[in-house]
Amino acid sequence: MSAIQATGTGTATEQTPRRRHLTDRVKAERRLAYMLIAPAVIVMVLVAIWPIINTFILSLQRADLRFPQNNQFIGFDNYGSVLSSPLWWADVAHTLIITVFSVSLELVLGMLVALAMHRVIFARGAVRAVALIPYGIITVVAAYSWRYAFELDSGWIPGLFGIKSDPLASTTGSYIAVIISEVWKTTPFMALLLLGGLALVPDELHEAAKVDGASTWQRFWKITIPLMKPAILVALLFRTLDAIRIYDTVVIFNNGAHNTETLSVLASNQLLNRLNLGLGSTVSVLLFVLVGIIAFLFIKVFGAGASPTGGD
Amino acid sequence: MESTFQKRLGWSGAVVLIALFALVPVIWIISLSLKDPTTIGDGNFFPTKFTTSNYSSIFKQSIFTDALRNSIGIALISTVIAVFIACFAAYAIARLDFPGKNVLLLASLAIAMFPPISLVGPLYNLWRNIGLYDTWPGLIIPYMTFALPLSIFVLSTFFREIPWELEQAAQVDGATPYQAFVKVIAPLAAPGIFTTGILVFMICWNDFVFASTLTSTNSAETVPAAIAAFPGASQFTEPIGTIAAAAVVVTIPVIIIVLVFQRRIVAGLTAGAVKG
Amino acid sequence: MRALGKGGLTGLAAVLAALAIAACGGSSGPPTLSWYIFPEPSGSFAHAAQVCSKASGGKYNIALNTLPTDADGQRQELVRRLAAKDSSIDIIGMDVTYTPEFADAGWLRPWIGANRDALKGDLPGPLATASWKGKIYGAPDNSNTQLLWYRKDLVPNPPKTWAEMLADAKKLAQEGKPHYIEIQGKQYEGLTVWFNTLVDSAGGTILKGPRTVSLGASAQKAAAIIHALATSPAADPALSNSDENAGRLAFEGGTAAFELNYPFVYPSIQADDPKLAKEMGYTNYPSVNAGQPAKVTIGGSNLGVSRFSKYPQYAFEAIKCLTNAANQKVDAIKGGLPPTLASLYNDPALAKPYPFKALIKQQLADAGIRPQTPAYADVTIAIQKALSPPGSIDPKSVLSTLNSQLKAALSSGALI
C-alpha cells in the first residue's frame, strides 16, 4: 500500500508531484482529526459550554431562582451595579492580595523544593514522594487541618508561638492562615512544573561557569533562572489562574469574614444564598474576564507557553 | 572535599525541612482523629488521651461507607472515560494539522478557567430535567468534562515526545496503521496515559463543589460532600474528631498512590523531561 | 444449551419469567414519605419516624433523610430542590427563618381547618415563626432559646441587665478572676440572632413588614451594646470568631464567668467537667432596659408539607404524629431539643434534664422573632457584614451603615 493512502501520518515520505494527492491526504488527515476530537468536543460543548453560555445569558437578566417565570432582560444593568459597587472592588483587592502572596511564596518555596528534588541522589524516590503528599490531600481536608491548627483552643500553632489572641479573629491573621494553607497544598505542583524546567538546564553550562570561577549564587541567577524562564512562566500562569478562583479554603476557614472574602465566595453568596442568579452570574462572568486578562498578560506579554517545554 | 560535605549537609537539611513541611499537617490531622473528645480543646500536637472511637463511629455510619464507595467508583470511572476520550483528541492535536485546532485549545482553556461555582446552577437544572440528579453519571459526566482540558494538555505533550519516524518505519516494514499504533506507539504512550489517569483521579477525588450540589443522598454523595453532613454531639458541636478520622481514611489511598506512583506523577507534570 | 436438556431449559425459562414479573411488578406497598431535616445525632428523629410509620397502621412509611449540618447548606439544598419542583421531598424540616421565603415562593401547603386546630397546644413564640401573612405553614417541632449561664462561685447574684453584666465582668477582670462573657460574635447567623435579641429587647424591630427597614433608637442601643462588650475587658479574644461551640468550650475551660448560649451546654458540662458543672448557674437572658424583660430570639424547626408532595394528606397526618407530645418528649430528653408544646413544660420527666424549663417556657412565650421576610437570607448577610467584627463597630455611623446595607439587601440589583 502506498504511503499516500495511509492516514494520519503528517510528514511526507514520498514526494508527490501532483497537488490533487496532497489535497486528498490533507483532506483525509482532517477527517481523521475531526473524528478523533469529536467525542471530546461533543462532551465539552454539551456539558461545559452550555452552562457557560447560560451564565452569560443570566448575567443580562434580573433572575431569581425562586421565580423563574419572572426573569427580565435588563441588558448590562447588572454589570453597572457590580462594577460600581465598592464591595466588588474590595473583593478584587482581597483576591489579588491572596493571589500575589500565595503565588510568590509558592514560587520561592517551589523552587527550593525543585532544587532539592533535582540534586538529591540518596532516597530520591522517597524524597519526591513525601514532597508530593500535600498535592494528593483533598483541599477541603487540608483546609480543615490548617484551620484546627490555628484555632486558639484546639490548635498547636498559638501554643508554639506563644500567641494569646485568636489568629483567626484578625484580618492579618486570617490572611496568613489562608495563604499558608494554600501554599502548603500547591507548592508540590509548582515544584514539579519547575523541576521540568530545571532538568533541561544542561550541566555543561554549570561546569563551564564553575571553571570560569562563578559562584553558586551567580550561576543560579545567570544560568539557571534565565534558562528556566519558560517553565517559570507556565508555572506562574497555571497557579495564578487557580489562585484567583480560590474558594474551598476560604469557605472552610471563616467563609470570607475578616476581609478575606474572595470573588468566588462573592459569586457563591449571590448565587446560592441570595438566589440572585443575575448578579451572581455577572460576578462569575467578570471573574472569568479577570482570569482571561491575566492569562492574556502571561501568554502575550510575558511569553508564557512559547517554548517546547511550555506546551503548545 | 569539605565543600561537598557541606553541600550535602545543606541539601540533607533542606530535605528534612521539606519532609517536615509536607508531613506536619498530615500528622496533625491523624493526631486530631485519635484524640479523646474531651481533650480536643487542649492545643497539644500529640494526643494525651488516645481513642479509636472516631474511626469506629464513622465506619458504623452508612453515610461514610457509602460515600467512600461512591468516591472510589465515580473517580475511577470518570478517570477511565476521560483519559480514553482525551487520548484521541490529544493524538489529533499532537500529530495532525487541522483548522480549528487553536479554537479547540482556546475552548479547553476557557473551560478550565471558568469559576466552577457558577456552573452548578445550570447543570443542576439540566440534571433534574433529565433525571441525572443524585446519580453516578450525574457526577461522572461533569468530572470527566472538566478533567478534559488538563488531560488533553498533558497527553498531547507526551504524544509530541514520541518520534513519528517509529510509526512510519513500522508501516514501511509492512505493518498496518493499526498494528503500528498498537505495537509501537501504545507502549511508548502508556506512561503518559497512566500519568494523566492519576492526575485526573486526583481532580475527581478532590472535588467538593459539584459533589455537594449535584447529589443529596447515599446513592451518589462522595466523601468531601459527606464530611459536610457529619453530625456532631449536638446541633452546635462541630465534630472535629470524626471529620479528622474521615479525612485520614480518605487521604490514605491518595498517599499510597502518591508514594507508589511518584515517578509517573513527576514524569507527567514535568512533561516527560524528568524520568526519575 | 444442549447441555441443559429440555427440563433444564423449561426450568430456566420459569426462573427468568418469575424474575421478570418480580422486577416489573413494582413495589406494591405503602407509599414512603421522605422527611428531610438536619442530622440529629442522638437518633430521636429516627425513633420518631419509626414510631409514626407504625402508628399509621400500614398507610405509609416515613423515611428520614439528612440535610447538611450547617444551616446555610440546609437551606441551599432545600431551595435548590423546591425551586425545581422536586416531588421527592414530602416533609420539610425547616429552620424557623425559612417560613416567609418558602411560603411566599408557594412551596408550602398552609395548615387550615382541622390541621390548624391540631396546633393549638404550641407556645406562641414557635407558632409565630411558622406564620406568614395570617396563615400557618408549618407545625412547630422543637424550639430553642438562649439563657444566661454564669459561675455561681464568682458571681453570687446574677446580673439582670447588660449594663450590670458588663460591670460585673469588669470588676472580676480587675480582681484577676475569670471574667469573659461568652457570646456568638462570629460573622454568621449567630450574630444576627444576638443583634435581633437586643433590638427586640430594646422595644424596636429591624424591619416593619417584609420590605421596610425600620431601624431607630433601639437598633442604635443594640449596636452600642455589642460594641461595648467587644471593646471591654469582658470580651474573649476569640469573640469575633466565636460560635455556640466555641463559647461552650471556653466556659468549660474555665476562662469565662458568663455565657449566653443554648441549653445544650448543660448536659455537655455535666459530662465534660462535673466539678465545674456544680458551679454553673442559669438565669434569664439579661435585658436591655431595666425592668423590661428581654425578648430572646428563638431558634428551632418547623415541619412543613411540600406543595409538590404526592401524598399531602398523609404528610399532614405524619407531621401531626411526629410533633405530638410523646415524640417531642423523646426529642427533648434524648436529643436535647426543647419542646414547643406548652403542656410538656409541666411534665415531671423533663425536670431533671431541664431544671430551667420554666425559664425556657417564659422566654418562648414572649419571644424575639427574626425579621419575617422572603428576603431573609439577604437581610441576615447585610446585618452580619455591617456588624463584623464587633470590635470595629463605629457607634456614630453604624446605624447608617446598617440602613444602607439592608436597603441593598432588599434590592435585587445591589451586591452585598
Side-chain angles (χ1 to χ4, degrees):
Chain A
M1 104 175 80
S2 87
I4 297 169
Q5 288 167 341
T7 54
T9 52
T11 35
T13 48
E14 259 189 26
Q15 285 287 351
T16 47
R18 276 164 289 180
R19 282 188 63 216
R20 238 185 82 234
H21 288 282
L22 257 169
T23 319
D24 270 349
R25 178 186 306 147
V26 168
K27 267 202 234 152
E29 189 174 313
R30 289 189 190 179
R31 218 177 309 130
L32 176 68
Y34 290 140
M35 268 187 353
L36 289 177
I37 66 172
V41 168
I42 293 176
V43 167
M44 291 201 288
V45 165
L46 285 181
V47 181
I49 301 291
W50 160 240
I52 292 181
I53 294 183
N54 193 321
T55 307
F56 275 104
I57 296 178
L58 279 173
S59 72
L60 300 173
Q61 299 179 333
R62 168 164 299 132
D64 185 319
L65 179 66
R66 288 161 292 197
F67 306 104
Q69 65 277 12
N70 293 350
N71 284 3
Q72 224 188 343
F73 180 77
I74 54 173
F76 287 99
D77 281 1
N78 282 329
Y79 286 91
S81 306
V82 172
L83 289 173
S84 60
S85 151
L87 179 61
W88 160 261
W89 293 109
D91 286 356
V92 168
H94 303 157
T95 311
L96 287 179
I97 293 177
I98 293 182
T99 303
V100 166
F101 275 99
S102 45
V103 174
S104 343
L105 265 176
E106 282 160 28
L107 186 59
V108 169
L109 287 176
M111 182 62 90
L112 288 173
V113 174
L115 284 170
M117 281 165 125
H118 185 62
R119 294 299 209 82
V120 163
I121 317 282
F122 178 72
R124 164 173 280 186
V127 170
R128 288 189 179 165
V130 165
L132 279 180
I133 285 181
Y135 174 66
I137 309 269
I138 300 184
T139 313
V140 171
V141 167
Y144 269 122
S145 175
W146 281 105
R147 188 184 114 194
Y148 293 145
F150 273 99
E151 269 179 11
L152 194 58
D153 298 310
S154 52
W156 55 271
I157 292 183
L160 189 63
F161 292 97
I163 301 175
K164 288 281 183 264
S165 58
D166 189 350
L168 296 176
S170 73
T171 303
T172 323
S174 303
Y175 270 110
I176 293 180
V178 167
I179 291 175
I180 290 185
S181 180
E182 271 296 287
V183 168
W184 180 81
K185 172 91 180 57
T186 47
T187 296
F189 186 69
M190 186 71 125
L192 284 182
L193 293 179
L194 292 174
L195 184 59
L198 199 54
L200 291 176
V201 177
D203 281 331
E204 301 85 57
L205 284 179
H206 279 283
E207 297 305 320
K210 264 196 252 186
V211 164
D212 282 347
S215 71
T216 320
W217 192 244
Q218 279 174 321
R219 276 186 289 126
F220 182 69
W221 283 105
K222 292 246 147 75
I223 301 179
T224 314
I225 297 286
L227 284 176
M228 279 185 65
K229 182 159 161 256
I232 294 179
L233 284 173
V234 167
L236 282 179
L237 171 66
F238 272 123
R239 270 308 306 153
T240 309
L241 294 184
D242 269 346
I244 293 200
R245 294 174 301 154
I246 181 177
Y247 178 74
D248 297 5
T249 307
V250 175
V251 166
I252 301 274
F253 265 90
N254 51 18
N255 215 9
H258 295 289
N259 295 325
T260 56
E261 185 175 271
T262 60
L263 294 172
S264 288
V265 175
L266 178 67
S268 121
N269 264 345
Q270 315 306 311
L271 278 172
L272 302 178
N273 274 331
R274 297 186 70 192
L275 309 176
N276 191 325
L277 301 180
L279 279 180
S281 305
T282 308
V283 172
S284 310
V285 169
L286 286 173
L287 175 55
F288 176 63
V289 166
L290 185 60
V291 170
I293 292 178
I294 307 255
F296 180 80
L297 271 176
F298 267 98
I299 295 181
K300 280 282 158 24
V301 175
F302 298 129
S307 96
T309 36
D312 206 29
Chain B
M1 287 197 297
E2 64 181 77
S3 68
T4 321
F5 176 69
Q6 272 174 339
K7 250 189 236 169
R8 207 161 282 170
L9 199 62
W11 285 120
S12 308
V15 165
V16 167
L17 279 173
I18 291 176
L20 271 177
F21 175 73
L23 291 176
V24 156
V26 179
I27 303 178
W28 165 242
I29 204 117
I30 296 179
S31 151
L32 273 179
S33 68
L34 293 171
K35 271 191 183 179
D36 187 278
T38 50
T39 61
I40 286 263
D42 63 11
N44 289 328
F45 190 82
F46 291 107
T48 45
K49 268 179 19 189
F50 277 88
T51 175
T52 53
S53 64
N54 290 320
Y55 287 97
S56 47
S57 99
I58 55 172
F59 278 108
K60 258 188 262 178
Q61 298 181 49
S62 66
I63 180 182
F64 181 71
T65 46
D66 286 348
L68 205 51
R69 172 206 70 193
N70 294 335
S71 269
I72 296 178
I74 293 177
L76 276 177
I77 299 180
S78 316
T79 302
V80 165
I81 305 183
V83 171
F84 192 66
I85 298 183
C87 263
F88 291 147
Y91 182 82
I93 291 179
R95 278 270 196 270
L96 310 173
D97 209 9
F98 55 94
K101 188 195 278 209
N102 282 330
V103 172
L104 175 61
L105 289 169
L106 265 170
S108 310
L109 196 58
I111 290 178
M113 285 181 351
F114 208 83
I117 195 79
S118 2
L119 302 174
V120 291
L123 259 183
Y124 169 79
N125 287 328
L126 191 57
W127 271 192
R128 275 234 62 89
N129 290 331
I130 43 182
L132 281 182
Y133 176 70
D134 201 31
T135 60
W136 279 31
L139 276 185
I140 292 176
I141 298 179
Y143 281 173
M144 75 187 198
T145 311
F146 291 97
L148 276 176
L150 180 67
S151 320
I152 297 181
F153 172 77
V154 172
L155 276 174
S156 61
T157 322
F158 263 101
F159 284 155
R160 246 183 244 121
E161 301 279 315
I162 300 176
W164 296 7
E165 293 75 50
L166 285 180
E167 215 174 320
Q168 284 160 240
Q171 288 183 13
V172 163
D173 279 352
T176 65
Y178 177 71
Q179 279 175 326
F181 184 81
V182 170
K183 291 231 143 72
V184 175
I185 303 299
L188 288 175
I193 294 179
F194 199 76
T195 304
T196 309
I198 294 177
L199 295 176
V200 172
F201 184 83
M202 300 279 213
I203 295 178
C204 301
W205 190 253
N206 241 303
D207 167 78
F208 173 67
V209 171
F210 287 110
S212 50
T213 33
L214 298 177
T215 67
S216 62
T217 68
N218 295 12
S219 19
E221 210 172 36
T222 60
V223 176
I227 289 185
F230 273 9
S234 78
Q235 234 182 339
F236 303 108
T237 320
E238 195 170 29
I240 297 184
T242 40
I243 291 182
V248 170
V249 170
V250 132
T251 303
I252 289 180
V254 163
I255 293 191
I256 294 180
I257 293 182
V258 165
L259 287 175
V260 169
F261 296 117
Q262 59 87 10
R263 256 220 296 229
R264 302 243 182 263
I265 300 175
V266 171
L269 286 177
T270 56
V274 179
K275 295 190 170 55
Chain C
M1 274 298 158
R2 196 178 289 156
L4 279 174
K6 220 154 166 219
L9 211 51
T10 326
L12 183 61
V15 167
L16 284 176
L19 281 174
I21 292 175
C24 298
S27 47
S28 58
T32 306
L33 301 174
S34 294
W35 176 22
Y36 278 85
I37 195 160
F38 69 89
E40 201 282 309
S42 75
S44 59
F45 286 168
H47 166 88
Q50 248 183 340
V51 160
C52 290
S53 299
K54 257 191 240 147
S56 77
K59 264 192 289 187
Y60 52 80
N61 280 326
I62 305 177
L64 177 65
N65 294 290
T66 50
L67 296 169
T69 356
D70 66 310
D72 267 353
Q74 289 162 34
R75 178 175 158 274
Q76 283 175 16
E77 180 171 333
L78 285 174
V79 164
R80 200 185 319 128
R81 297 175 68 175
L82 291 169
K85 303 196 182 26
D86 189 337
S87 62
S88 65
I89 304 181
D90 299 288
I91 302 172
I92 315 174
M94 307 182 286
D95 185 275
V96 291
T97 52
Y98 300 167
T99 312
E101 179 182 13
F102 286 20
D104 202 60
W107 297 333
L108 300 173
R109 292 176 186 265
W111 289 65
I112 42 189
N115 286 337
R116 172 72 184 84
D117 292 340
L119 302 179
K120 56 182 175 349
D122 288 308
L123 287 160
L127 211 48
T129 63
S131 333
W132 173 243
K133 292 203 169 136
K135 290 213 193 103
I136 306 274
Y137 285 94
D141 184 59
N142 55 78
S143 188
N144 229 332
T145 184
Q146 294 191 349
L147 298 175
L148 171 58
W149 312 86
Y150 63 99
R151 288 279 295 271
K152 288 193 283 200
D153 53 334
L154 299 171
V155 188
N157 289 323
K160 294 213 168 25
T161 70
W162 276 90
E164 281 175 29
M165 187 167 65
L166 281 169
D168 285 350
K170 241 179 236 167
K171 203 167 71 130
L172 285 170
Q174 280 161 354
E175 292 167 8
K177 301 205 184 116
H179 54 274
Y180 293 147
I181 300 179
E182 295 300 324
I183 190 155
Q184 297 86 53
K186 186 173 161 178
Q187 183 177 311
Y188 81 126
E189 183 66 19
L191 185 57
T192 305
V193 167
W194 184 14
F195 182 63
N196 189 70
T197 300
L198 292 174
V199 172
D200 283 4
S201 304
T205 54
I206 296 177
L207 294 184
K208 217 178 218 65
R211 295 207 165 253
T212 325
V213 183
S214 70
L215 301 173
S218 41
Q220 178 73 43
K221 218 180 211 176
I225 291 180
I226 297 180
H227 172 76
L229 170 54
T231 49
S232 82
D236 190 315
L239 172 68
S240 63
N241 221 24
S242 263
D243 59 5
E244 294 90 351
N245 198 38
R248 166 186 78 93
L249 287 172
F251 194 91
E252 287 179 14
T255 52
F258 301 100
E259 183 185 6
L260 289 123
N261 215 333
Y262 296 99
F264 81 106
V265 301
Y266 184 75
S268 166
I269 199 173
Q270 313 281 337
D272 290 348
D273 193 342
K275 217 171 76 152
L276 191 58
K278 290 202 183 63
E279 304 300 341
M280 184 164 90
Y282 43 80
T283 182
N284 292 86
Y285 198 98
S287 52
V288 173
N289 300 322
Q292 196 180 343
K295 283 169 108 85
V296 187
T297 307
I298 55 172
S301 327
N302 302 322
L303 300 186
V305 177
S306 159
R307 184 164 298 275
F308 314 111
S309 161
K310 288 197 223 122
Y311 312 102
Q313 294 318 316
Y314 288 158
F316 278 111
E317 238 184 81
I319 293 179
K320 280 188 264 189
C321 170
L322 291 169
T323 58
N324 67 16
N327 284 320
Q328 282 205 20
K329 193 148 93 167
V330 174
D331 290 347
I333 297 178
K334 199 161 161 218
L337 302 168
T340 61
L341 290 169
S343 57
L344 280 176
Y345 284 91
N346 299 325
D347 194 318
L350 257 65
K352 187 148 177 289
Y354 292 88
F356 35 78
K357 58 185 166 73
L359 292 176
I360 297 183
K361 182 175 184 193
Q362 201 181 358
Q363 289 187 185
L364 287 186
D366 184 25
I369 314 268
R370 277 167 277 185
Q372 296 201 287
T373 164
Y376 181 72
D378 309 58
V379 164
T380 183
I381 294 180
I383 295 177
Q384 293 166 29
K385 285 198 168 177
L387 297 174
S388 283
S392 309
I393 295 177
D394 174 15
K396 280 195 272 307
S397 62
V398 66
L399 210 52
S400 72
T401 310
L402 274 168
N403 260 312
S404 57
Q405 284 274 44
L406 280 170
K407 289 215 177 69
L410 294 170
S411 125
S412 60
L415 269 185
I416 46 159

